[in-house]
């Protein structure tokens, strides 16, 4: 009976601990961040049918970036980088997504990156997302990227290439450390996606398959 009593007490304690942990999540803030990210993604991926030309599309895109920058500044000034413990993993990752697209404000991105790094070290933010933001900032500064997350698709060769990477022979080691797949797998996945989007054009050109990297390719080091 004593053991049963201890188990009951432990079970009740675990229930309250769980309630307390979830109680720390700021659902209002999380919902706001998710709304910001969805606004960005919805317009980018599924613009309304009444948008007839690129000028309308990009004008609205710039407006969304400005709106998200204004809101992100307020959030960041109050909370720093919102980690898992404040807005959950989904909210934290969505805040990263918003900032990732704010290339017009590089100084703000750098401030967020610094705070995000501290949260990553506490396992309170996603290390793979941190890698993407670091590479984006480096590339926009004209510097080499560290993890090879920033890439481009060459329609002539039907292949995805990474922008210049520091010490490319060891990039897969760095990618593995932050939870990213091997670079050649990442590039091949992106190549196949781009190739599929251009399927009708490719078929007319007589191209039947994309140009993929060998896995492992030995170009980027062991994974």
């Amino acid at each position: 009976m004593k053991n049963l009593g201890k188990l009951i007490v432990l079970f009740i304690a675990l229930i309250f601990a769980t309630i307390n942990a979830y109680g720390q999540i700021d659902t209002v803030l999380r919902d706001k961040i998710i709304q910001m990210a969805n606004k960005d993604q919805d317009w980018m991926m599924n613009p309304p049918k009444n948008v007839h030309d690129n000028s309308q599309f990009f004008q609205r895109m710039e407006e969304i970036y400005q709106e998200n920058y204004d809101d992100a500044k307020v959030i960041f000034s109050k909370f720093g980088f919102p980690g898992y413990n404040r807005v959950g993993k989904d909210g934290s990752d969505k805040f990263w997504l918003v900032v990732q697209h704010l290339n017009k404000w590089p100084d703000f991105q750098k401030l967020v990156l610094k705070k995000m790094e501290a949260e990553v070290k506490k396992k309170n933010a996603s290390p793979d997302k941190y890698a993407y933001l670091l590479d984006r900032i480096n590339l926009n500064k004209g510097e080499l990227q560290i993890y090879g997350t920033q890439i481009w698709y060459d329609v002539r060769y039907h292949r995805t290439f990474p922008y210049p990477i520091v010490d490319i022979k060891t990039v897969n080691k760095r990618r593995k450390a932050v939870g990213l797949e091997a670079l050649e797998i990442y590039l091949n996945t992106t190549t196949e996606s781009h190739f599929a989007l251009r399927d009708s054009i490719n078929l007319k050109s007589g191209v039947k398959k994309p140009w993929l990297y060998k896995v492992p390719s030995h170009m980027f080091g062991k994974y």
Side-chain angles (χ1 to χ4, degrees):
M1 290 296 293
K2 282 187 176 181
N3 289 336
L4 178 61
K6 288 180 180 179
L7 285 173
I8 292 172
V9 171
L10 178 60
F11 180 69
I12 293 172
L14 285 171
I15 291 174
F16 278 103
T18 303
I19 293 172
N20 183 53
Y22 279 99
Q24 292 174 359
I25 300 297
D26 187 335
T27 56
V28 174
L29 178 59
R30 180 181 62 189
D31 290 348
K32 171 63 177 176
I33 291 171
I34 291 174
Q35 181 185 37
M36 292 161 63
N38 288 346
K39 178 170 61 175
D40 174 319
Q41 292 295 285
D42 288 347
W43 183 264
M44 185 181 296
M45 304 304 295
N46 300 293
K49 293 181 180 179
N50 61 353
V51 175
H52 300 296
D53 56 56
N54 285 339
S55 62
Q56 286 181 295
F57 173 82
F58 287 114
Q59 180 181 348
R60 178 54 186 151
M61 205 72 245
E62 287 299 314
E63 291 171 354
I64 290 172
Y65 290 149
Q66 181 68 60
E67 293 165 8
N68 278 349
Y69 171 61
D70 293 338
D71 288 337
K73 273 197 311 181
V74 173
I75 292 170
F76 186 71
S77 66
K78 289 183 177 180
F79 308 108
F81 184 86
Y84 303 158
N85 63 344
R86 184 175 295 279
V87 292
K89 188 178 188 307
D90 55 345
S92 184
D93 286 352
K94 294 291 187 181
F95 186 79
W96 159 82
L97 177 65
V98 168
V99 175
Q100 180 80 355
H101 292 167
L102 300 181
N103 296 325
K104 192 175 178 180
W105 299 274
D107 289 339
F108 179 67
Q109 285 182 320
K110 292 174 194 173
L111 289 173
V112 173
L113 181 73
K114 186 174 182 180
K115 292 290 186 180
M116 186 179 186
E117 181 180 19
E119 297 306 318
V120 168
K121 288 179 178 177
K122 294 187 288 186
K123 302 187 184 303
N124 195 38
S126 299
D128 57 329
K129 303 298 188 293
Y130 170 83
Y132 274 86
L133 184 55
L134 176 60
D135 278 353
R136 177 70 64 93
I137 290 171
N138 280 6
L139 203 62
N140 288 339
K141 289 192 299 183
E143 298 178 3
L144 299 178
Q145 54 176 334
I146 306 299
Y147 297 97
T149 63
Q150 306 302 294
I151 57 182
W152 61 283
Y153 182 76
D154 193 319
V155 296
R156 299 168 299 173
Y157 301 108
H158 310 283
R159 191 176 199 176
T160 303
F161 296 91
Y163 285 103
I165 304 170
V166 63
D167 193 8
I168 198 167
K169 291 286 188 180
T170 59
V171 66
N172 273 341
K173 184 177 180 181
R174 295 191 296 275
R175 289 177 66 85
K176 187 174 184 179
V178 294
L180 292 170
E181 72 272 62
L183 183 56
E184 51 267 49
I185 295 175
Y186 173 54
L187 295 174
N188 285 349
T189 300
T190 309
T191 294
E192 290 172 332
S193 297
H194 277 282
F195 192 82
L197 287 172
R198 294 173 48 84
D199 191 51
S200 60
I201 299 174
N202 294 329
L203 289 175
K204 288 179 182 178
S205 303
V207 181
K208 296 182 179 180
K209 60 181 180 179
W211 182 17
L212 302 178
Y213 295 86
K214 292 181 180 179
V215 181
S217 68
H218 305 298
M219 293 174 62
F220 311 121
K222 295 180 179 180
Y223 185 72

